[in-house]
């Protein structure tokens, strides 16, 4: 097993080869642009790690890892169009830099390119990768639709929210790890186990993202602290606060999430106070811990060395102790 940084470096070098100049430029330049915008490359790193965990050289999993990253960025291009987002990773979004039609078409091309990468594997592996990919891609679309639906609903439940983040975020983390296991030709049980590890870690990661959005350190958190509050997003913190609050606090929170003041500073502070005083912030931390422990419990049943189990656990702990 290598370090996360090593996998990142090897993956980025492979990505460089992939993002070559192609014709027509107006189709492929936006593809190369979004793929080179950076990011942690978390999902492809997990694919490479999973392959090596099951005693396969990581190089064999590079195409699967690249497929995951291309698909992830495809979804970001289309999400940014839907959200009318001007920035992605501090740079102009594809549809802002070019136009909406270019964003749609280049995104479509990325989805096809993601599938095409599986053609570099022999038939059985190709079939297994494509089957998992299709299931995951559809679930990501379903998660996005749930997220859109929740914007206009006032009766979103905690189980519905957890399902939304599972589909929108966590299934791709699970699939990234399972793809590494598929390339390594591990057993069906181990493939399902590593998927469950990734999925539960993905849910914990997203819940932590919700928590850090409100309570993260502005110096280290990569986004604007309080962004979800400004956008009136019904996160786990919000839903738990409604569940735990008395009638007056509940009305106050609902009112605050129905307004968009020019200066949101007071709104953010009041909402954060309600998150804390209700016990919702503590409940969110406990939920993060629950899903992290769920992920770690899966490791016990995987047919991998104790050393590799310890590496995966350390990676999970590192992920959950982040401030960004």
């Amino acid at each position: 097993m290598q370090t996360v940084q090593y996998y990142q470096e090897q993956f980025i070098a492979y990505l460089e080869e992939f993002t070559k100049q192609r014709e027509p430029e107006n189709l492929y330049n936006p593809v190369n642009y979004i793929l080179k915008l950076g990011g942690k490359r978390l999902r492809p790193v997990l694919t490479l790690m999973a392959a090596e965990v099951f005693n396969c050289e990581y190089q064999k999993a590079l195409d699967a890892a690249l497929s995951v990253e291309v698909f992830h960025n495809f979804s970001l291009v289309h999400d940014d169009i839907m959200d009318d987002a001007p920035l992605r990773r501090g740079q102009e979004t594809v549809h802002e830099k070019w136009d909406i039609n270019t964003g749609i078409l280049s995104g479509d091309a990325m989805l096809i390119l993601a599938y095409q990468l599986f053609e570099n594997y022999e038939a059985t592996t190709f079939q297994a990768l494509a089957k998992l990919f299709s299931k995951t891609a559809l679930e990501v679309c379903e998660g996005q639709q749930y997220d859109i639906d929740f914007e206009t609903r006032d009766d979103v439940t905690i189980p519905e929210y957890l399902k939304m983040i599972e589909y929108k975020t966590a299934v791709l983390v699970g699939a990234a790890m399972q793809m590494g296991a598929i390339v390594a030709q591990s057993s069906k049980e181990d493939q399902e186990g590593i998927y469950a590890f990734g999925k539960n870690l993905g849910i914990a990661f997203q819940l932590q993202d919700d928590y850090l959005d409100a309570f993260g350190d502005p110096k280290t958190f990569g986004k604007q602290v309080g962004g979800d509050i400004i956008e009136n997003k019904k996160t786990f913190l919000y839903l738990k606060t409604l569940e735990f609050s008395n009638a007056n606090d509940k009305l106050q929170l609902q009112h605050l999430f129905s307004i968009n003041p020019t200066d949101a500073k007071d709104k953010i502070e009041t909402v954060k106070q309600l998150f804390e005083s209700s016990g919702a912030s503590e409940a969110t931390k406990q939920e993060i811990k629950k899903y992290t422990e769920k992920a770690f419990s899966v490791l016990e049943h995987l047919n991998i060395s104790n050393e590799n189990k310890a590496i995966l656990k350390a990676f999970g702990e590192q992920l959950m102790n982040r401030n960004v």
Side-chain angles (χ1 to χ4, degrees):
M1 290 283 289
Q2 306 291 338
T3 64
V4 169
Q5 186 182 350
Y6 179 84
Y7 290 128
Q8 284 170 327
E9 288 167 358
Q10 297 308 305
F11 176 75
I12 289 164
Y14 199 68
L15 180 66
E16 281 295 322
E17 291 177 40
F18 181 76
T19 50
K20 60 189 179 205
Q21 285 299 117
R22 307 185 213 197
E23 295 288 340
E25 286 187 357
N26 285 337
L27 177 67
Y28 290 110
N29 283 355
V31 173
N32 295 343
Y33 171 77
I34 186 74
L35 286 171
K36 287 181 173 181
L37 269 191
K40 294 181 283 291
R41 315 294 186 187
L42 172 68
R43 294 156 194 82
V45 163
L46 289 174
T47 305
L48 303 181
M49 278 180 76
E52 289 226 310
V53 155
F54 292 108
N55 302 314
C56 170
E57 293 171 347
Y58 77 85
Q59 291 92 333
K60 292 179 181 175
L62 279 165
D63 285 314
L66 186 52
S67 175
V68 170
E69 184 70 356
V70 172
F71 172 78
H72 173 59
N73 281 277
F74 142 75
S75 71
L76 298 181
V77 171
H78 281 192
D79 284 1
D80 287 341
I81 292 170
M82 285 184 265
D83 295 341
D84 195 21
L87 297 175
R88 166 68 59 185
R89 296 171 187 144
Q91 301 294 319
E92 277 184 296
T93 48
V94 168
H95 71 276
E96 283 286 326
K97 190 172 173 64
W98 283 272
D99 53 49
I100 287 175
N101 287 348
T102 300
I104 292 169
L105 191 60
S106 295
D108 291 344
M110 289 174 80
L111 181 58
I112 297 158
L113 288 166
Y115 266 108
Q116 217 172 32
L117 285 157
F118 298 142
E119 293 172 12
N120 297 322
Y121 294 99
E122 53 84 27
T124 311
T125 303
F126 171 89
Q127 187 181 28
L129 289 169
K131 190 176 178 182
L132 174 62
F133 185 90
S134 298
K135 172 181 171 287
T136 305
L138 201 54
E139 285 172 340
V140 170
C141 292
E142 289 169 4
Q144 175 69 359
Q145 187 61 56
Y146 285 133
D147 197 20
I148 292 165
D149 292 347
F150 290 176
E151 288 175 16
T152 53
R153 278 182 52 192
D154 295 321
D155 58 348
V156 179
T157 65
I158 295 278
E160 284 179 318
Y161 181 75
L162 289 170
K163 184 179 181 181
M164 184 273 286
I165 63 172
E166 177 185 337
Y167 279 22
K168 190 176 175 184
T169 303
V171 294
L172 190 57
V173 179
M177 299 208 80
Q178 188 174 344
M179 282 185 188
I182 288 170
V183 172
Q185 299 183 338
S186 67
S187 69
K188 194 74 180 158
E189 292 74 24
D190 281 339
Q191 286 180 28
E192 289 169 0
I194 201 79
Y195 177 88
F197 171 76
K199 186 184 78 172
N200 284 309
L201 210 55
I203 293 171
F205 185 87
Q206 186 56 53
L207 287 170
Q208 193 190 43
D209 218 49
D210 291 355
Y211 180 85
L212 290 173
D213 189 273
F215 297 106
D217 184 345
K219 294 187 191 77
T220 55
F221 190 55
K223 295 175 274 188
Q224 179 182 16
V225 172
D228 287 346
I229 296 169
I230 293 168
E231 292 174 34
N232 298 324
K233 283 198 172 180
K234 302 176 183 84
T235 63
F236 191 87
L237 274 166
Y238 170 85
L239 296 172
K240 272 291 174 190
T241 305
L242 283 186
E243 183 187 324
F244 292 162
S245 292
N246 59 42
N248 285 340
D249 286 349
K250 196 172 174 178
L251 278 172
Q252 186 183 16
L253 183 67
Q254 287 170 326
H255 168 69
L256 287 165
F257 269 66
S258 70
I259 60 171
N260 295 291
T262 310
D263 183 357
K265 191 180 173 187
D266 289 344
K267 172 181 169 174
I268 291 168
E269 282 311 308
T270 307
V271 168
K272 282 171 67 172
Q273 284 167 17
L274 290 168
F275 285 170
E276 294 206 80
S277 62
S278 66
S281 62
E282 185 56 39
T284 304
K285 285 197 275 190
Q286 289 305 312
E287 198 75 3
I288 294 164
K289 188 180 175 189
K290 183 182 99 175
Y291 277 99
T292 306
E293 287 173 353
K294 237 176 152 176
F296 291 164
S297 70
V298 172
L299 294 177
E300 295 166 25
H301 309 291
L302 290 179
N303 294 302
I304 58 175
S305 69
N306 287 332
E307 185 188 351
N308 283 345
K309 286 178 186 178
I311 288 167
L312 286 176
K313 189 173 182 183
F315 176 80
E317 284 170 344
Q318 187 185 342
L319 209 58
M320 290 303 114
N321 288 330
R322 70 195 171 108
N323 294 309
V324 294

